[in-house]
mmCIF file of all heavy atoms in Angstrom:
data_model
loop_
_atom_site.group_PDB
_atom_site.id
_atom_site.type_symbol
_atom_site.label_atom_id
_atom_site.label_comp_id
_atom_site.label_asym_id
_atom_site.label_seq_id
_atom_site.Cartn_x
_atom_site.Cartn_y
_atom_site.Cartn_z
ATOM 1 N N PRO Q 41 81.236 131.702 110.262
ATOM 2 C CA PRO Q 41 80.791 132.666 111.268
ATOM 3 C C PRO Q 41 79.906 132.025 112.338
ATOM 4 O O PRO Q 41 79.308 130.979 112.107
ATOM 5 C CB PRO Q 41 80.020 133.696 110.450
ATOM 6 C CG PRO Q 41 79.629 132.989 109.213
ATOM 7 C CD PRO Q 41 80.677 131.975 108.950
ATOM 8 N N GLY Q 42 79.788 132.683 113.472
ATOM 9 C CA GLY Q 42 78.908 132.229 114.553
ATOM 10 C C GLY Q 42 79.647 131.439 115.608
ATOM 11 O O GLY Q 42 80.770 130.983 115.382
ATOM 12 N N ASN Q 43 78.972 131.285 116.765
ATOM 13 C CA ASN Q 43 79.589 130.484 117.824
ATOM 14 C C ASN Q 43 79.315 129.002 117.605
ATOM 15 O O ASN Q 43 78.642 128.608 116.646
ATOM 16 C CB ASN Q 43 79.114 130.964 119.207
ATOM 17 C CG ASN Q 43 77.601 130.808 119.354
ATOM 18 O OD1 ASN Q 43 77.008 129.876 118.801
ATOM 19 N ND2 ASN Q 43 76.970 131.729 120.061
ATOM 20 N N PHE Q 44 79.820 128.188 118.507
ATOM 21 C CA PHE Q 44 79.720 126.730 118.389
ATOM 22 C C PHE Q 44 78.277 126.274 118.140
ATOM 23 O O PHE Q 44 78.010 125.510 117.218
ATOM 24 C CB PHE Q 44 80.275 126.108 119.682
ATOM 25 C CG PHE Q 44 80.175 124.617 119.715
ATOM 26 C CD1 PHE Q 44 81.149 123.820 119.117
ATOM 27 C CD2 PHE Q 44 79.099 123.991 120.357
ATOM 28 C CE1 PHE Q 44 81.043 122.441 119.159
ATOM 29 C CE2 PHE Q 44 78.998 122.615 120.375
ATOM 30 C CZ PHE Q 44 79.971 121.836 119.789
ATOM 31 N N PHE Q 45 77.341 126.788 118.948
ATOM 32 C CA PHE Q 45 75.949 126.339 118.840
ATOM 33 C C PHE Q 45 75.309 126.804 117.533
ATOM 34 O O PHE Q 45 74.568 126.070 116.901
ATOM 35 C CB PHE Q 45 75.146 126.842 120.046
ATOM 36 C CG PHE Q 45 75.563 126.151 121.310
ATOM 37 C CD1 PHE Q 45 76.329 126.824 122.256
ATOM 38 C CD2 PHE Q 45 75.240 124.819 121.538
ATOM 39 C CE1 PHE Q 45 76.746 126.179 123.408
ATOM 40 C CE2 PHE Q 45 75.661 124.167 122.685
ATOM 41 C CZ PHE Q 45 76.425 124.843 123.634
ATOM 42 N N GLN Q 46 75.623 128.040 117.146
ATOM 43 C CA GLN Q 46 75.058 128.562 115.893
ATOM 44 C C GLN Q 46 75.539 127.736 114.697
ATOM 45 O O GLN Q 46 74.784 127.439 113.779
ATOM 46 C CB GLN Q 46 75.461 130.029 115.707
ATOM 47 C CG GLN Q 46 74.686 130.974 116.606
ATOM 48 C CD GLN Q 46 75.250 132.377 116.565
ATOM 49 O OE1 GLN Q 46 76.454 132.567 116.409
ATOM 50 N NE2 GLN Q 46 74.393 133.356 116.731
ATOM 51 N N ARG Q 47 76.823 127.381 114.753
ATOM 52 C CA ARG Q 47 77.371 126.624 113.617
ATOM 53 C C ARG Q 47 76.754 125.224 113.543
ATOM 54 O O ARG Q 47 76.406 124.755 112.468
ATOM 55 C CB ARG Q 47 78.900 126.550 113.722
ATOM 56 C CG ARG Q 47 79.554 127.877 113.326
ATOM 57 C CD ARG Q 47 81.039 127.796 113.220
ATOM 58 N NE ARG Q 47 81.656 127.958 114.524
ATOM 59 C CZ ARG Q 47 82.477 127.085 115.087
ATOM 60 N NH1 ARG Q 47 82.784 125.987 114.456
ATOM 61 N NH2 ARG Q 47 83.010 127.308 116.263
ATOM 62 N N TRP Q 48 76.583 124.571 114.697
ATOM 63 C CA TRP Q 48 75.959 123.250 114.699
ATOM 64 C C TRP Q 48 74.483 123.328 114.332
ATOM 65 O O TRP Q 48 73.967 122.436 113.660
ATOM 66 C CB TRP Q 48 76.155 122.563 116.060
ATOM 67 C CG TRP Q 48 77.471 121.853 116.083
ATOM 68 C CD1 TRP Q 48 78.664 122.323 116.552
ATOM 69 C CD2 TRP Q 48 77.740 120.551 115.548
ATOM 70 N NE1 TRP Q 48 79.662 121.401 116.351
ATOM 71 C CE2 TRP Q 48 79.124 120.289 115.733
ATOM 72 C CE3 TRP Q 48 76.970 119.575 114.931
ATOM 73 C CZ2 TRP Q 48 79.730 119.107 115.331
ATOM 74 C CZ3 TRP Q 48 77.579 118.392 114.542
ATOM 75 C CH2 TRP Q 48 78.936 118.170 114.723
ATOM 76 N N LEU Q 49 73.831 124.424 114.757
ATOM 77 C CA LEU Q 49 72.424 124.605 114.399
ATOM 78 C C LEU Q 49 72.297 124.752 112.877
ATOM 79 O O LEU Q 49 71.426 124.142 112.247
ATOM 80 C CB LEU Q 49 71.862 125.856 115.109
ATOM 81 C CG LEU Q 49 70.373 126.128 114.874
ATOM 82 C CD1 LEU Q 49 69.515 125.017 115.472
ATOM 83 C CD2 LEU Q 49 69.961 127.475 115.465
ATOM 84 N N ALA Q 50 73.212 125.542 112.302
ATOM 85 C CA ALA Q 50 73.203 125.725 110.840
ATOM 86 C C ALA Q 50 73.434 124.382 110.144
ATOM 87 O O ALA Q 50 72.797 124.073 109.128
ATOM 88 C CB ALA Q 50 74.288 126.719 110.442
ATOM 89 N N PHE Q 51 74.332 123.579 110.692
ATOM 90 C CA PHE Q 51 74.623 122.261 110.105
ATOM 91 C C PHE Q 51 73.376 121.366 110.148
ATOM 92 O O PHE Q 51 73.012 120.757 109.137
ATOM 93 C CB PHE Q 51 75.783 121.609 110.869
ATOM 94 C CG PHE Q 51 76.090 120.214 110.418
ATOM 95 C CD1 PHE Q 51 76.660 119.972 109.185
ATOM 96 C CD2 PHE Q 51 75.802 119.121 111.237
ATOM 97 C CE1 PHE Q 51 76.945 118.677 108.759
ATOM 98 C CE2 PHE Q 51 76.084 117.821 110.819
ATOM 99 C CZ PHE Q 51 76.657 117.611 109.585
ATOM 100 N N ILE Q 52 72.727 121.350 111.307
ATOM 101 C CA ILE Q 52 71.535 120.491 111.450
ATOM 102 C C ILE Q 52 70.425 120.969 110.512
ATOM 103 O O ILE Q 52 69.764 120.155 109.856
ATOM 104 C CB ILE Q 52 71.053 120.463 112.926
ATOM 105 C CG1 ILE Q 52 72.104 119.710 113.763
ATOM 106 C CG2 ILE Q 52 69.695 119.795 113.069
ATOM 107 C CD1 ILE Q 52 71.975 119.902 115.252
ATOM 108 N N ILE Q 53 70.259 122.282 110.407
ATOM 109 C CA ILE Q 53 69.240 122.810 109.486
ATOM 110 C C ILE Q 53 69.576 122.399 108.050
ATOM 111 O O ILE Q 53 68.710 121.977 107.287
ATOM 112 C CB ILE Q 53 69.126 124.360 109.619
ATOM 113 C CG1 ILE Q 53 68.519 124.722 110.968
ATOM 114 C CG2 ILE Q 53 68.291 124.956 108.487
ATOM 115 C CD1 ILE Q 53 68.555 126.207 111.320
ATOM 116 N N GLY Q 54 70.861 122.493 107.702
ATOM 117 C CA GLY Q 54 71.308 122.094 106.362
ATOM 118 C C GLY Q 54 71.018 120.630 106.080
ATOM 119 O O GLY Q 54 70.508 120.279 105.002
ATOM 120 N N VAL Q 55 71.304 119.778 107.055
ATOM 121 C CA VAL Q 55 71.051 118.337 106.888
ATOM 122 C C VAL Q 55 69.555 118.095 106.703
ATOM 123 O O VAL Q 55 69.141 117.325 105.824
ATOM 124 C CB VAL Q 55 71.595 117.542 108.111
ATOM 125 C CG1 VAL Q 55 71.118 116.099 108.084
ATOM 126 C CG2 VAL Q 55 73.118 117.593 108.138
ATOM 127 N N LEU Q 56 68.758 118.775 107.529
ATOM 128 C CA LEU Q 56 67.302 118.599 107.435
ATOM 129 C C LEU Q 56 66.769 119.084 106.081
ATOM 130 O O LEU Q 56 65.901 118.453 105.488
ATOM 131 C CB LEU Q 56 66.590 119.333 108.580
ATOM 132 C CG LEU Q 56 66.808 118.731 109.974
ATOM 133 C CD1 LEU Q 56 66.159 119.600 111.045
ATOM 134 C CD2 LEU Q 56 66.258 117.305 110.058
ATOM 135 N N LEU Q 57 67.313 120.197 105.607
ATOM 136 C CA LEU Q 57 66.886 120.715 104.300
ATOM 137 C C LEU Q 57 67.220 119.737 103.185
ATOM 138 O O LEU Q 57 66.411 119.469 102.297
ATOM 139 C CB LEU Q 57 67.559 122.063 104.018
ATOM 140 C CG LEU Q 57 66.941 123.297 104.680
ATOM 141 C CD1 LEU Q 57 67.808 124.519 104.406
ATOM 142 C CD2 LEU Q 57 65.529 123.532 104.129
ATOM 143 N N LEU Q 58 68.440 119.191 103.248
ATOM 144 C CA LEU Q 58 68.876 118.239 102.220
ATOM 145 C C LEU Q 58 68.004 116.982 102.252
ATOM 146 O O LEU Q 58 67.531 116.508 101.215
ATOM 147 C CB LEU Q 58 70.357 117.886 102.445
ATOM 148 C CG LEU Q 58 71.030 117.035 101.393
ATOM 149 C CD1 LEU Q 58 71.003 117.713 100.040
ATOM 150 C CD2 LEU Q 58 72.482 116.746 101.789
#
Side-chain angles (χ1 to χ4, degrees):
Chain Q
N43 61 33
F44 178 84
F45 291 106
Q46 285 171 327
R47 284 188 276 123
W48 274 94
L49 183 65
F51 175 70
I52 291 165
I53 291 171
V55 169
L56 291 175
L57 280 175
L58 187 60

